[in-house]
Amino acid sequence: MHRPRARLTALCALAALPPAIEALLLVRLGFVAAEGLSSQVTAVWPYDTYHDLRWLYVYHDSWPDFLVGLLLVIGFRALLTTGLVTLAWPAGVDRPGLRWLLGRNLGLSVVVVVLVAPWALISVAASVVALSWVLLASLLPMFLLAPFLQRAAVVGPWWRGLPSISLVGWSLLNFVVITVASALCWSVPGWWTVPVALFAGAANGLLWERTVHVAVLAPRVRWARVPVAPIAVALALVVPLTIPVLVQVVPAGVTIEQVVLGQRLPADVRHAVIVLAGHGSAYDGTPPVDANVERFSYRGLGGDGRPLPYRSSDTNRSLESGAALLQTQVDRLHGRTGRPVALIGESEGAMLARTYLAQRPHPAVDTLVMFSPLINAGRAYYPPAGVSHGWGVATGWQLRALLGMIGLFGVTDAGPDEPFIRSLLDNAPFYRNQLMCPVPGVRMVAFLPTTTATEAPPGDYTGIPVFQMPGVHGGLLGRSLVQDRLIHFLAGVPESRMRREYPLLQQLGAGWQAPPLAIRVNPAWNDVRQPDPSFTGKVCQPS
């Protein structure tokens, strides 16, 4: 009776120590954006490896560093999993020898790394573009693979047969525990993060005990001759192919073009307006109903001064070159109407408009409205294709290979080196710290869908008024509400609204993001002295 209790105590202690050590280091460094990740160090497969690979993909600056780090991850996981499984083994059931368990877990560590690597890569990509659906694409396969991988350490032919309902249930509980523990790590102040991580690790130990028991003592396995795990892996590989399609097919709600371009502005709006649509948009050249409204063209202006039609591929340009086009269009519109100019940008259009105000401000532009801006984008880095070293070099090449394979299915033609993405990577300090900051002489507001809350670590992310409302990226629910608030703002009425669930969603989602790359360590970022929200927890801080 006492021996099983002692083993359970030892199991919880072993599972609690690594998260506490990681939390201690992160708090000591002041790395507030990554504190919630510590609870995942001893999570049950595959979440523990998902934790390791995200750190590795962000924090290596050469191929040798990456390969050494990968070997360390595999060895560490094999040793730790062997210890956890040994202590979690049910009493009264013969357990394989330590040598067998270590050899098995060493081989399985390699297998799990291979299976989890694509989703860890996509998680890093999500931290570059700050899009919730990209993060979702990295996370959904974990749900699918978890019940299979959680029995791999103890069941012989683990790839055959269905996992039991109990194992699926414990797998889902594991996800919930990790998510809540990560949120708690961010909720408590300072050094309190360490005991929270300690208790979260102990909870991981209890989950190891339950999953090992369920796997070892499982009754007759259904479909025992069917290689179900490889089928699950194949289905997991389909997830990144289906989510971009669903994003395009499922109605996103009201877009900013629908709100502004199809009607005349009220008489109390004294501005001329340029509407900047998002990435992947297209324009057939049809002029807006109101002569004082223009659509920004990603191809520039024609000889008659009108915005040229453009295809979706034309939005694949750098934000700097887009700002140059916007400068010309602002000059022409202001000259034609004699009115002050308001910019209304959505997604990439919002980023472009904010870049323009930072680099090429025009005195006539005194209003900026941003819909679905990419909050805290550029949190990771990888060098251009022609560079053989630098932070994230292996990540860049593996993303190129992964997205190249996805492109073979015709799902996307976007790549990790397209000019828009490179703008976010190369000027990350600005987009991480200054995007949501005031511009002297310019009235600003950002309309944020609630999914934005899952796209960046918790913290004070804005220095301008924001209007939070239900919706997804690139689409806001409630046309009349959006239209009324936008028109009111253009007419000079201040607008802002904070939703109670927004901070909670930030905390619950942030544990599944990749850790940010510290601004000060990357020589490729010219402005390395820029204050880093990953450590301050705030934006718009003075240099």
Side-chain angles (χ1 to χ4, degrees):
M1 188 71 178
H2 294 288
R3 188 173 180 181
R5 185 177 300 174
R7 286 176 57 185
L8 182 60
T9 301
L11 172 64
C12 292
L14 178 60
L17 187 58
I21 292 173
E22 181 171 311
L24 182 67
L25 292 174
L26 293 174
V27 173
R28 180 68 180 84
L29 293 171
F31 200 172
V32 295
E35 287 177 358
L37 301 182
S38 57
S39 62
Q40 302 172 21
V41 181
T42 53
V44 183
W45 270 341
Y47 301 116
D48 52 355
T49 303
Y50 187 62
H51 162 275
D52 299 344
L53 289 180
R54 284 178 293 161
W55 277 104
L56 179 60
Y57 277 130
V58 173
Y59 280 94
H60 71 273
D61 63 357
S62 68
W63 275 102
D65 278 355
F66 176 79
L67 294 175
V68 170
L70 188 61
L71 292 175
L72 290 174
V73 164
I74 292 171
F76 172 73
R77 279 297 148 207
L79 288 171
L80 182 58
T81 304
T82 298
L84 293 169
V85 170
T86 299
L87 293 172
W89 202 269
V93 178
D94 291 338
R95 175 178 55 79
L98 287 177
R99 180 177 298 181
W100 184 91
L101 281 175
L102 181 59
R104 181 178 182 81
N105 282 295
L106 184 60
L108 286 173
S109 294
V110 176
V111 172
V112 175
V113 162
V114 172
L115 294 179
V116 173
W119 325 122
L121 278 170
I122 295 175
S123 175
V124 174
S127 69
V128 173
V129 297
L131 288 173
S132 56
W133 72 263
V134 180
L135 182 63
L136 182 64
S138 75
L139 196 52
L140 283 180
M142 298 294 102
F143 288 111
L144 190 58
L145 295 176
F148 297 95
L149 296 178
Q150 288 176 1
R151 64 176 182 166
V154 297
V155 176
W158 62 272
W159 61 89
R160 295 207 306 254
L162 289 172
S164 66
I165 295 298
S166 297
L167 194 59
V168 173
W170 286 112
S171 173
L172 293 175
L173 180 60
N174 187 28
F175 174 83
V176 173
V177 168
I178 295 170
T179 302
V180 173
S182 297
L184 288 175
C185 284
W186 270 297
S187 302
V188 297
W191 291 101
W192 282 102
T193 300
V194 178
V196 170
L198 186 76
F199 282 108
N204 289 337
L206 295 176
L207 287 167
W208 271 102
E209 191 266 347
R210 285 291 84 202
T211 54
V212 170
H213 272 237
V214 169
V216 172
L217 302 176
R220 183 178 59 87
V221 177
R222 297 185 178 184
W223 296 7
R225 297 180 180 275
V226 180
V228 181
I231 296 173
V233 171
L235 291 175
L237 292 172
V238 174
V239 170
L241 306 181
T242 58
I243 289 184
V245 175
L246 291 175
V247 169
Q248 297 296 325
V249 172
V250 176
V254 181
T255 63
I256 189 58
E257 299 100 302
Q258 294 171 314
V259 172
V260 179
L261 299 178
Q263 63 175 3
R264 292 187 178 278
L265 296 176
D268 56 349
V269 176
R270 303 305 303 166
H271 286 79
V273 175
I274 297 177
V275 178
L276 300 90
H279 192 272
S281 62
Y283 176 49
D284 63 5
T286 303
V289 173
D290 195 317
N292 293 313
V293 177
E294 285 187 355
R295 180 159 181 166
F296 171 75
S297 173
Y298 284 90
R299 287 184 57 211
L301 304 180
D304 58 358
R306 295 181 178 179
L308 292 170
Y310 66 84
R311 301 184 299 267
S312 60
S313 59
D314 293 316
T315 63
N316 293 336
R317 65 162 55 248
S318 71
L319 293 172
E320 295 76 18
S321 66
L325 294 180
L326 181 56
Q327 180 183 36
T328 301
Q329 192 163 344
V330 167
D331 288 339
R332 294 291 293 268
L333 180 62
H334 177 62
R336 177 172 66 82
T337 63
R339 294 185 172 203
V341 176
L343 305 177
I344 303 177
E346 181 178 79
S347 189
E348 180 184 358
M351 308 298 283
L352 194 157
R354 185 62 182 86
T355 302
Y356 162 80
L357 288 178
Q359 297 180 353
R360 302 167 178 264
H362 191 290
V365 178
D366 64 0
T367 302
L368 171 64
V369 181
M370 296 189 288
F371 283 81
S372 298
L374 306 180
I375 304 295
N376 222 276
R379 297 194 305 277
Y381 182 81
Y382 49 84
V387 179
S388 60
H389 63 278
W391 291 102
V393 60
T395 303
W397 282 108
Q398 292 181 50
L399 275 174
R400 293 176 189 109
L402 178 63
L403 295 179
M405 287 188 290
I406 293 175
L408 294 177
F409 293 89
V411 175
T412 178
D413 58 357
D417 293 303
E418 70 171 54
F420 171 56
I421 302 298
R422 280 254 57 103
S423 292
L424 298 178
L425 289 165
D426 295 339
N427 299 303
F430 171 78
Y431 297 114
R432 286 167 66 170
N433 192 51
Q434 299 296 324
L435 173 70
M436 300 289 286
C437 299
V439 176
V442 180
R443 296 179 62 243
M444 302 172 65
V445 68
F447 285 78
L448 303 181
T450 46
T451 56
T452 303
T454 65
E455 296 170 357
D460 185 2
Y461 63 88
T462 183
I464 63 174
V466 297
F467 194 92
Q468 298 166 352
M469 58 188 305
V472 297
H473 182 84
L476 300 170
L477 303 179
R479 176 175 183 141
S480 60
L481 177 62
V482 175
Q483 183 172 300
D484 290 346
R485 298 302 183 182
L486 174 60
I487 297 303
H488 286 171
F489 183 77
L490 293 177
V493 180
E495 290 291 348
S496 67
R497 184 175 73 174
M498 308 292 284
R499 298 185 65 89
R500 294 180 180 178
E501 70 272 18
Y502 202 93
L504 177 61
L505 291 174
Q506 275 189 301
Q507 293 170 350
L508 292 176
W512 300 107
Q513 299 165 7
L517 180 64
I519 290 176
R520 63 175 179 262
V521 306
N522 189 7
W525 289 332
N526 293 327
D527 195 4
V528 294
R529 296 182 181 178
Q530 182 86 235
D532 193 339
S534 301
F535 291 84
T536 64
K538 299 179 179 180
V539 297
C540 308
Q541 299 298 295
S543 300

